[in-house]
Amino acid sequence: DNFSNHPPGSRFNYTNLGALVAARIVELKSGLPFDEYTKLHILEPLKMANTAWHYKALNPALFTTLYTVDDRKKPTKVLEHPHYEMTDYPVGGLKTNVEDLTRYLLEIMEGYKGRGTLLSPGSYQILLNPQLADSCFENRNDYLFNDQYNVGIFWAISAPGYRLHNGGSIGIYSFIYFNPKTGMGALAFCNLPHSDFGKIRDIVHKYEVLLSK
């Protein structure tokens, strides 16, 4: 059940395991653990001082409380959830704050314009532009934030051209996106996974549209 019946490159199917495999390739090529490599080549150059893959590298006074619900289908109450580490941390274990992640988003937006500092212009083009044929996607629609319309490298590309990534786990929902046409972007986190989080993104988008006029 873990494997597709389609040849490589012929059908898109999102998988967190892909991020873990990519991180392992970075380790093999660089000779560094993934957390050390990203600190050296991303976090420190962008001055993301309050960002790390592991809690031990951060100030405990800055940690937020994580919450979950007692029943995902029929929730009746909210429960506090302990902080946790992921053995496959490259798939979504990053700890950060809004200010630091904004620094990262601004770098990505500059990279799209050919003015990034972390990668060459050609590498940013690969990262942020469509990498698969239209025939690779089964469930396409023109929704502004559809993250399975096309993909770059771990960045989704919606029909109107937004570059985005949505994510969630125990105690976290998040989104990050930018609109190349307006040169504006946005991000947010929530420490309680809830279906209404999408409404926050819609509200943020309304303000993005207003500010871009």
Side-chain angles (χ1 to χ4, degrees):
D1 292 340
N2 288 333
F3 297 91
S4 170
N5 293 323
H6 302 280
S10 66
R11 186 62 54 89
F12 172 81
N13 189 7
Y14 184 85
T15 170
N16 280 339
L17 182 60
L20 190 61
V21 172
R24 183 58 181 148
I25 293 172
V26 170
E27 292 183 329
L28 293 173
K29 295 294 288 185
S30 68
L32 294 172
F34 187 70
D35 54 352
E36 292 184 19
Y37 183 88
T38 50
K39 179 182 179 181
L40 181 63
H41 293 282
I42 299 176
L43 305 183
E44 290 182 348
L46 295 183
K47 295 180 172 57
M48 297 172 67
N50 294 308
T51 301
W53 291 102
H54 307 292
Y55 282 111
K56 64 182 180 181
L58 296 169
N59 180 0
L62 302 178
F63 297 169
T64 189
T65 302
L66 303 182
Y67 295 98
T68 188
V69 293
D70 58 342
D71 188 311
R72 294 186 65 180
K73 294 183 178 179
K74 295 182 178 181
T76 61
K77 60 181 177 180
V78 172
L79 306 171
E80 185 174 336
H81 194 282
H83 293 119
Y84 59 94
E85 295 275 350
M86 303 169 66
T87 55
D88 55 349
Y89 69 89
V91 311
L94 191 70
K95 290 94 171 120
T96 189
N97 60 19
V98 168
E99 181 179 356
D100 273 16
L101 198 58
T102 297
R103 294 176 185 270
Y104 177 76
L105 178 57
L106 290 171
E107 165 65 19
I108 294 295
M109 293 168 65
E110 286 298 293
Y112 180 84
K113 300 173 186 175
R115 302 196 296 259
T117 61
L118 298 182
L119 300 174
S120 68
S123 292
Y124 268 115
Q125 289 299 308
I126 295 172
L127 184 74
L128 297 169
N129 285 321
Q131 297 298 311
L132 296 175
D134 292 352
S135 58
C136 293
F137 298 86
E138 294 183 289
N139 301 312
R140 304 183 90 192
N141 61 62
D142 293 340
Y143 175 52
L144 188 65
F145 295 114
N146 178 14
D147 59 3
Q148 297 196 22
Y149 186 86
N150 211 319
V151 292
I153 307 298
F154 295 108
W155 279 88
I157 302 165
S158 65
Y162 276 53
R163 271 58 176 181
L164 67 146
H165 198 95
N166 304 315
S169 188
I170 300 172
I172 180 68
Y173 262 8
S174 64
F175 70 78
I176 184 170
Y177 78 82
F178 72 96
N179 181 355
K181 296 178 182 177
T182 63
M184 301 188 69
L187 59 92
F189 336 126
C190 177
N191 59 344
L192 171 67
H194 195 281
S195 58
D196 281 349
F197 186 65
K199 297 178 182 179
I200 296 175
R201 184 180 58 192
D202 293 340
I203 293 172
V204 169
H205 175 248
K206 289 182 181 179
Y207 281 99
E208 178 232 321
V209 173
L210 290 172
L211 290 171
S212 65
K213 292 182 178 179

